Amino acid sequence: ELLIKYNIKPCKEVWLNDKLFYINKKNNPCYRFKIGNLYKIYQPLASDKKKKWLSNFDLNILQGFTQLRYTDTLIITKSYKDVIILNEFYNKSVIALNAEGNHIPEKMLEFFKTKFKNILCFYDSDEAGIKFMERNKKDYNFDYFYLNPKLLEQGIKDISDYIKQYGVISFQDIKEDLIYNSKKIKKLI
């Protein structure tokens, strides 16, 4: 049911420019995410990082927009997996850009400002994630939070890694492992 809601399906095969790119294998599953007429292909176990993701999404795609709930606070994250986890298990209003370094399209930014009192970023706790959250603070005045970088030692850089390691636990418990750039954020999430 969750996969249907987010339009995610396993792939039997993937064709790229009329050439077979992927054939289903038990030791290397593949999934397709579909938004409108665009696709993102995900091979979570691919040994070649260049083959892990394949997409014809443009930079303006906002993952999770059609499933968006309207509360006081919007969280912008960096992956569809994180959108699903935060939306479904923790009832958060969440969208994801196609990549952490992408900017929010101006029209969407104005729309979000009319619908949400607060807009926060929650990217990876690695160097790149923190850099782009700091940029969004500077460019848009978005506060941000992230998982404690100490968790990187356990291979945990985002909420989906966290849930994979610890299971679905209360968000209050997760808050103990979060770092905030502002004290007010803790009350908002």
Side-chain angles (χ1 to χ4, degrees), residues 175-187:
K175 281 183 166 186
E176 299 305 313
D177 283 324
L178 295 174
I179 306 272
Y180 310 90
N181 83 312
S182 156
K183 287 184 181 181
K184 73 176 183 178
I185 295 177
K186 202 167 190 176
K187 296 175 186 173

Side-chain angles (χ1 to χ4, degrees), residues 42 78 81-82 85 124-125 147 151-152 154-167:
Y42 176 50
K78 54 78 192 158
K81 290 186 303 181
D82 294 351
I85 288 168
D124 288 356
S125 58
L147 289 168
L151 294 168
L152 288 170
Q154 299 173 45
I156 299 171
K157 65 178 174 14
D158 60 27
I159 193 69
S160 60
D161 292 341
Y162 193 94
I163 297 303
K164 187 176 175 182
Q165 177 78 19
Y166 296 109

